[in-house]
Amino acid sequence: MSQNYLGPYKSFRDYLDALEHFGLIEHIDSINQDEYEATALMYRIIDNTKVYEAPALFFDEIRSKGKLFKHSLVGNIYGRWDFESLALGIMPIEGSPQKNYKHALNKITDHIKDNNEWRVIDPIEIQPSEASCKEVKLLGDDIDLLNFPFIQTNPEDGGCYINMGSVILKDPDLGRNIGTYRCQIKNSKKISINPQVNQDGWKFLKRMQERGEKRAAVAIVLGTDPITFSMSGSKVAKYGEDELGIAGGIIGEAIKVVKCETNDILVPANVEMVIEGSIPLDRMEEEGPFGEMYGYIGEKKEENFYMDVSAITHRNNPIFSNQFTGITRGCLTAPIEVALNQKYKKKFNDFLGLHYPLETPGFCFVNIASVSFEKAMAIGSDISKSLKIAKITVLLDSDVDIHNLHDVLHAVGSRWQPYTSSEIIEKAPGLSGDPSSTERGIGSRIVINAMKNGRQSDLEFAKTNRECLENAFPEIFDRIDSKFKDLI
Ligand SMILES: Cc1cc2nc3c(=O)[nH]c(=O)nc-3n(C[C@H](O)[C@H](O)[C@H](O)COP(=O)(O)O)c2cc1C
């Protein structure tokens, strides 16, 4: 396998070429999304593998809304944990998704370890003539969003969506904001844009409204390199920090940007497509419903921001992507996990690391050093109240692998006493898509202390059978590994 295909990738195309090279893409000649074949196939692939082991799917042509699109559409491009290591320049070990993900986490941790800050390389502006996202320019009557395969993923969705785009806004004081929000295609020149309340993008638009502005310039970019997309889909860049600068820092090279045709927003120059326009700040429109990340259909929104499209530019033969939300993982998560680890390590000496499994949203698994029950619960309670996805926070000893669901469930089943070792929090901010919530964006939480000393008892905790074996024969597993190499 060639090292040349390792990341960090400078573009979406380079990334797809690498997935192809490593045999991580399955090609499907033709699929009929008018009968939801692509969605059902994605469910089947994930049913038969694990979310983090499933290949990416590449549909060479797709039928949607009665049209046959010759443009390619890809799905599950950020699903596998192996993709995380590839994108950071590490050769994945075959058959070891957890290890590959941990290698990605270590690489990102090393990247920020000097001063605990994300390194920033500011983007550089290039001329439009050098920008591949401008190979084709559509203005005026030539603009028609319905000419591209933005698909409807679920029969009960409100329509077709762009759900793998990055929405770029600009504020005179705060600079640029890039966020991934689902965008519903309303007609050939109108798109609904859905930053939830209090997202940075939402705050940017509210600031403009408060200043009395009538419209906000906006660009949606499709098909960024994987690291930029991870920054767009996460809070690694804090309010007012530039996602592109941090992405450049991780990639090790400045991201090239170019000015839009119809406003002065700068966008990554080598993306597949740029949709430019403006958002009216004095009007809103209904949006949805949409099959959300929890795997359930969300509510229709009565009031949502939308944009009027003023230009589309794209590469020749652009490649589109669809998330298949609620079925596949949405972006690379190693940088996000490291950013959260950094945040909670700063706050609590005894916090060792966390993981929230996207295949079962709502859980957060936390490794904690061996500390008193009270200290562990204080950490769990803080995470539970400050991290919206952590509805069920499970505290675990350092010997439990938080990236291994089986290990975690085994620890909960064997080390946790529900009555003495839990805390229920009545109300805390939650994710708006949680179908169990009784009030949008608010919900109750539970902290489960599944640590050996979490049951608050003077009784000594039993040794594991495996521990006894290793105590008696410290070299046993090394011996078995070398003696039965072929079998193992
Ligand atoms: C594929 C994908 C789809 C997402 N869809 C939405 C969405 O529709 N609305 C939303 O508020 N956040 C959504 N998110 C989460 C945001 O992208 C994330 O919270 C990000 O921090 C928002 O950017 P901002 O903090 O700059 O506003 C999505 C994330 C991913 C990876």
Side-chain angles (χ1 to χ4, degrees):
M1 283 186 186
S2 166
Q3 297 283 331
N4 295 340
Y5 283 93
L6 289 179
Y9 305 104
K10 311 270 160 34
S11 73
F12 186 64
R13 293 270 172 125
D14 287 354
Y15 176 59
L16 292 183
D17 285 350
L19 298 191
E20 195 78 74
H21 171 81
F22 290 112
L24 299 171
I25 292 187
E26 292 293 337
H27 278 268
I28 288 102
D29 299 342
S30 186
I31 198 116
N32 183 0
Q33 187 61 2
D34 280 336
E35 295 190 358
Y36 295 93
E37 285 184 355
T39 308
L41 178 62
M42 196 54 85
Y43 272 116
R44 248 313 166 253
I45 297 272
I46 303 277
D47 287 347
N48 291 348
T49 50
K50 294 192 182 98
V51 172
Y52 48 81
E53 289 185 47
L57 297 186
F58 199 108
F59 303 105
D60 294 332
E61 62 175 42
I62 187 157
R63 178 169 288 283
S64 163
K65 301 292 168 195
K67 282 187 185 176
L68 184 65
F69 292 97
K70 296 283 182 188
H71 301 288
S72 305
L73 179 88
V74 289
N76 198 36
I77 46 167
Y78 298 122
R80 279 178 77 115
W81 274 349
D82 292 1
F83 298 165
E84 305 251 359
S85 53
L86 272 180
L88 292 166
I90 308 158
M91 187 69 85
I93 305 165
E94 215 171 303
S96 305
Q98 268 99 356
K99 268 194 194 148
N100 293 330
Y101 187 58
K102 282 185 207 302
H103 290 158
L105 292 173
N106 292 341
K107 181 98 187 232
I108 293 282
T109 308
D110 283 350
H111 173 74
I112 55 172
K113 80 171 176 219
D114 290 349
N115 53 3
N116 237 358
E117 292 287 332
W118 292 85
R119 258 172 260 159
V120 169
I121 300 181
D122 288 327
I124 47 168
E125 188 174 350
I126 61 166
Q127 290 305 309
S129 57
E130 299 169 81
S132 49
C133 70
K134 291 192 190 276
E135 284 168 353
V136 177
K137 291 182 195 173
L138 302 169
L139 295 153
D141 289 345
D142 290 335
I143 298 170
D144 189 350
L145 292 163
L146 309 182
N147 285 337
F148 303 105
F150 303 121
I151 62 167
Q152 179 164 349
T153 303
N154 190 283
E156 296 212 9
D157 285 351
C160 296
Y161 274 84
I162 295 169
N163 54 24
M164 296 286 279
S166 300
V167 176
I168 309 188
L169 297 165
K170 204 177 138 183
D171 178 278
D173 310 318
L174 295 170
R176 182 178 18 237
N177 188 70
I178 307 190
T180 295
Y181 322 110
R182 66 172 190 248
C183 298
Q184 186 180 354
I185 307 294
K186 299 305 278 292
N187 63 37
S188 60
K189 291 189 174 62
K190 194 197 278 188
I191 303 175
S192 195
I193 300 182
N194 180 56
Q196 296 291 355
V197 173
N198 280 333
Q199 289 285 38
D200 292 353
W202 186 87
K203 289 187 205 155
F204 265 50
L205 292 169
K206 284 284 159 192
R207 270 172 70 98
M208 295 180 210
Q209 269 180 341
E210 280 157 21
R211 287 198 298 264
E213 290 165 29
K214 292 281 168 281
R215 280 188 171 261
V218 63
I220 305 177
V221 293
L222 314 179
T224 52
D225 69 81
I227 302 291
T228 298
F229 192 65
S230 174
M231 295 304 111
S232 163
S234 72
K235 300 251 177 260
V236 171
K238 299 188 191 75
Y239 189 52
E241 287 179 352
D242 185 17
E243 283 83 356
L244 291 186
I246 297 179
I250 298 174
I251 294 169
E253 194 178 299
I255 291 185
K256 296 189 175 94
V257 290
V258 66
K259 200 172 92 54
C260 282
E261 297 293 306
T262 55
N263 61 39
D264 63 356
I265 290 183
L266 294 172
V267 294
N270 59 8
V271 296
E272 296 295 312
M273 178 174 272
V274 182
I275 305 174
E276 307 175 10
S278 63
I279 300 174
L281 295 168
D282 53 356
R283 268 161 292 160
M284 291 184 126
E285 279 193 358
E286 60 179 31
E287 186 265 355
F290 182 70
E292 306 219 19
M293 65 169 277
Y294 282 86
Y296 291 80
I297 301 291
E299 279 176 350
K300 185 174 179 156
K301 285 176 84 178
E302 291 311 319
E303 302 234 291
N304 212 50
F305 288 109
Y306 69 89
M307 81 184 264
D308 295 308
V309 178
S310 55
I312 297 177
T313 68
H314 63 80
R315 290 179 71 136
N316 292 323
N317 302 317
I319 299 172
F320 295 84
S321 45
N322 187 62
Q323 194 206 345
F324 296 94
T325 311
I327 311 174
T328 69
R329 296 191 328 131
C331 66
L332 302 181
T333 55
I336 307 169
E337 201 162 308
V338 171
L340 288 170
N341 286 344
Q342 185 196 26
K343 170 178 163 180
Y344 290 112
K345 266 181 197 155
K346 238 186 231 170
K347 231 170 166 179
F348 300 106
N349 285 335
D350 304 308
F351 168 91
L352 300 176
L354 64 71
H355 173 65
Y356 55 84
L358 284 176
E359 59 274 29
T360 51
F363 288 91
C364 180
F365 306 144
V366 188
N367 276 138
I368 295 184
S370 184
V371 287
S372 68
F373 174 81
E374 289 74 20
K375 266 190 161 178
M377 289 308 277
I379 300 174
S381 188
D382 186 285
I383 292 173
S384 205
K385 289 175 194 156
S386 55
L387 185 60
K388 289 184 183 175
I389 201 162
K391 181 166 72 174
I392 302 152
T393 301
V394 184
L395 309 181
L396 298 149
D397 294 300
S398 58
D399 65 332
V400 179
D401 181 355
I402 50 176
H403 299 105
N404 184 323
L405 193 57
H406 173 269
D407 269 21
V408 171
L409 292 182
H410 192 274
V412 173
S414 55
R415 298 185 188 183
W416 177 51
Q417 273 299 312
Y419 185 65
T420 54
S421 314
S422 321
E423 181 192 355
I424 291 184
I425 297 159
E426 198 188 338
K427 252 187 182 190
L431 287 180
S432 60
D434 179 350
S436 74
S437 57
T438 48
E439 198 181 329
R440 276 289 148 249
I442 304 278
S444 61
R445 338 280 280 168
I446 186 165
V447 182
I448 290 172
N449 188 326
M451 299 174 72
K452 283 182 187 167
N453 67 2
R455 71 202 159 124
Q456 302 188 82
S457 161
D458 293 335
L459 288 177
E460 199 185 331
F461 209 97
K463 279 183 274 188
T464 66
N465 305 348
R466 188 177 175 132
E467 230 176 312
C468 298
L469 172 67
E470 281 179 302
N471 286 345
F473 297 95
E475 309 297 328
I476 188 71
F477 283 111
D478 290 341
R479 174 137 61 87
I480 291 299
D481 286 346
S482 78
K483 194 166 174 183
F484 299 100
K485 207 165 36 205
D486 293 342
L487 182 67
I488 297 164

